């Protein structure tokens, strides 16, 4: 049976509650601890950090994903849930590292050069963290050379690029060229996302996948990781 604290963490993420001060969707959680407090309580009670991650945080985001796909949830709901996961991850991460859980692989993610939109990129980063990847988030307005330098530094095989402007999409192509110039194109899978991007655009610039949302980002990343290990 699911530990009661894990079940509570899951429900609080689904309702986008980080702390006791946050409003939920239903009234019954009002004033009660949110995802962060419950994660701390679960760790204190000796619940395995990986169970909190998989059965609590990641499962909750799967449910949020289903609700988003079905039109029951909207972007603010998804964002609140992603923020609750990110806040809980801050307290969980040290325990995960201590418990020796092997990250599934290093994933470098960035909003490309010239672009300051980071909401979608942050959701994707949080979802990937929740799925067990070691995410190196370079933030916004990141140059191709900085991205390549980071990939080399972390020996990463996964790269996610985000762009929200038609003008900055070009920088995705520039980043892929920079990977090529550094002999890294074959060893790094490139995923792109952001409202103006499309599968056609991904094919045009030689990216490996276009992801319409963060959930697809996780599915595709899991698939690429399995393929690379095979
Ligand atoms: C919020 C916003 C801003 C905020 C950004 C705040 C922030 N911290 O991000 C601020 C106010 C700063 C801003 C500024 C500007 N903005 Co603006 N902005 C938006 C707005 C309203 C929402 C974008 C957003 O966050 N969407 C929600 C997220 C969750 O969706 P998403 O990013 O698509 O991400 C999802 C998927 O695409 C995917 N995804 C995204 N990236 C990735 C990456 C990977 C690896 C994966 C797997 C998945 C993935 O997963 C996400 C979640 O499922 C859009 C309009 C719109 N409806 O899109 C305009 C919009 C993008 N902005 C626009 C413009 C023009 C600008 C400005 C130039 C305005 C100005 N004149 O100053 C500046 C540019 C600044 C810059 N250099 O980047 C235009 C772009 C037009 C175009 N075709 O290029 C838009 C479309 C508005 C419009 N209709 O005109 N903006």
């Amino acid at each position: 049976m699911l530990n009661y604290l894990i079940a509570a963490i899951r429900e609080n993420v689904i309702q986008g509650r980080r702390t006791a001060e946050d409003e939920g969707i239903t009234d019954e959680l009002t004033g009660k601890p949110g995802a962060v407090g419950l994660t701390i309580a679960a760790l204190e009670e000796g619940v395995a950090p990986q169970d909190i991650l998989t059965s609590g945080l990641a499962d909750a985001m799967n449910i949020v994903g289903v609700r988003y796909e079905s039109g029951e949830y909207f972007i603010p709901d998804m964002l609140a849930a992603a923020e609750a996961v990110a806040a809980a991850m801050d307290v969980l991460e040290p325990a995960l590292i201590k418990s020796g859980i092997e990250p599934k692989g290093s994933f470098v993610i960035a909003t490309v050069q010239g672009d300051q939109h980071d909401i979608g990129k942050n959701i994707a980063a949080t979802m990937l963290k929740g799925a067990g990847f070691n995410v190196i988030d370079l933030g916004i307005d990141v140059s191709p050379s900085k991205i390549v330098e980071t990939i080399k530094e972390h020996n990463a095989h996964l790269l996610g690029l985000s762009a929200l402007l038609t003008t900055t999409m070009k920088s995705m192509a520039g980043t892929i060229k920079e990977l090529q110039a550094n002999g890294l194109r074959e060893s790094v899978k490139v995923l792109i996302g952001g409202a103006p991007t499309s599968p056609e655009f991904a094919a045009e610039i030689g990216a490996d996948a276009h992801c319409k949302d963060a959930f697809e980002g996780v599915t595709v990343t899991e698939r690429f990781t399995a393929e690379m290990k095979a």
Side-chain angles (χ1 to χ4, degrees):
M1 213 184 70
L2 198 60
N3 173 284
Y4 76 102
L5 284 166
I6 291 185
I9 289 167
R10 196 150 87 167
E11 188 53 33
N12 275 272
V13 169
I14 291 169
Q15 298 210 22
R17 293 184 78 247
R18 283 170 306 166
T19 67
E21 284 76 45
D22 289 336
E23 271 179 33
I25 294 171
T26 58
D27 288 342
E28 77 225 25
L29 295 179
T30 308
K32 293 186 182 158
V36 175
L38 289 162
T39 301
I40 294 169
L43 289 172
E44 281 171 359
E45 206 170 276
V47 180
Q50 44 274 61
D51 289 345
I52 301 176
L53 175 68
T54 52
S55 308
L57 305 176
D59 260 17
M61 285 314 281
N62 287 336
I63 295 167
V64 171
V66 171
R67 294 189 183 178
Y68 175 69
E69 295 280 328
S70 73
E72 184 186 341
Y73 269 26
F74 296 97
I75 288 192
D77 306 312
M78 187 160 76
L79 204 50
E83 281 169 359
V85 170
M89 279 302 285
D90 284 345
V91 292
L92 190 60
E93 237 163 21
L96 281 170
I97 292 162
K98 229 162 82 190
S99 73
I101 193 177
E102 277 281 312
K104 285 183 189 164
S106 291
F107 191 111
V108 173
I109 192 165
T111 295
V112 297
Q113 193 158 40
D115 204 313
Q116 293 177 3
H117 296 84
D118 67 356
I119 297 173
K121 185 264 298 164
N122 291 346
I123 295 175
T126 302
M127 294 284 307
L128 286 158
K129 264 191 189 184
F133 290 90
N134 170 34
V135 178
I136 300 122
D137 185 348
L138 294 176
I140 55 171
D141 189 13
V142 189
S143 68
S145 58
K146 173 74 189 165
I147 291 170
V148 167
E149 196 184 297
T150 308
I151 284 174
K152 284 184 183 166
E153 188 189 330
H154 293 268
N155 188 26
H157 299 288
L158 296 157
L159 169 65
L161 301 174
S162 184
L164 265 287
L165 300 171
T166 43
T167 47
T168 57
M169 281 162 72
K170 291 187 204 97
S171 187
M172 290 181 158
T175 304
I176 291 175
K177 286 203 182 107
E178 188 77 11
L179 282 175
Q180 263 155 0
N182 282 270
L184 290 169
R185 185 62 198 93
E186 297 309 314
S187 59
V188 178
K189 293 283 187 193
V190 183
L191 292 73
I192 66 163
T197 63
S198 64
E200 293 72 30
F201 179 70
E204 187 187 315
I205 65 170
D208 295 290
H210 167 259
C211 302
K212 67 174 186 314
D213 56 32
F215 300 104
E216 196 175 359
V218 172
T219 316
V220 169
T221 304
E222 301 267 18
R223 196 181 74 228
F224 283 157
T225 308
E227 283 169 10
M228 284 190 281
K229 280 191 181 139

